[in-house]
Amino acid sequence: MFGDMMGMMNKIKETQAKVEETKKRLETVTLLEKSNDELLTVKITANREIKSIEIDDELLQDKEQLEDYLILTINKAIKKAGEVNEAEISAVAKDGLPDIPGLTS
């Protein structure tokens, strides 16, 4: 039983290291989110860090419209990045976790 416990602990440590590696890799994964009419583009990493925002000149004429576009498009970008991040981290964690009786996912 002690050997099993040590094996599980080692597997958990390995998984933690893989999760950290994945988080670091996700810093380099970039996603583009555009408004429906493509007047606004947000570039974001899978770790939810905004890298750039491109605004068409047409949007600069109306402050309120620009604000609405920013809110909608940035929120969509953050959601998409979060989904990619969660999927990647979950896959690594699930593959690396030891089989623990009674623990189901």
Side-chain angles (χ1 to χ4, degrees):
M1 180 164 171
F2 184 69
D4 290 343
M5 184 65 80
M6 290 300 290
M8 286 188 341
M9 293 302 290
N10 286 337
K11 186 121 174 144
I12 289 171
K13 284 181 184 178
E14 287 174 18
T15 300
Q16 286 175 330
K18 287 180 182 177
V19 166
E20 290 306 313
E21 289 172 16
T22 300
K23 286 180 182 178
K24 192 167 193 94
R25 183 181 58 78
L26 290 173
E27 291 174 8
T28 64
V29 174
T30 56
L31 307 163
L32 288 180
E33 185 62 48
K34 297 182 179 193
S35 61
N36 292 337
D37 54 10
E38 299 190 2
L39 296 178
L40 182 80
T41 303
V42 174
K43 186 176 187 179
I44 189 169
T45 70
N47 280 342
R48 297 176 213 104
E49 181 181 336
I50 295 174
K51 291 297 189 178
S52 68
I53 297 175
E54 295 176 22
I55 302 169
D56 189 278
D57 289 341
E58 181 181 324
L59 287 176
L60 298 176
Q61 309 307 315
D62 185 343
K63 179 181 181 281
E64 194 171 301
Q65 182 184 19
L66 175 57
E67 290 169 347
D68 290 342
Y69 269 67
L70 285 167
I71 290 168
L72 291 171
T73 309
I74 289 171
N75 281 335
K76 285 188 341 186
I78 291 169
K79 182 178 181 195
K80 183 189 286 186
E83 289 168 354
V84 169
N85 185 291
E86 286 178 31
E88 292 285 327
I89 299 296
S90 293
V92 170
K94 186 176 181 182
D95 281 347
L97 286 179
D99 293 326
I100 300 172
L103 182 65
T104 58
S105 53

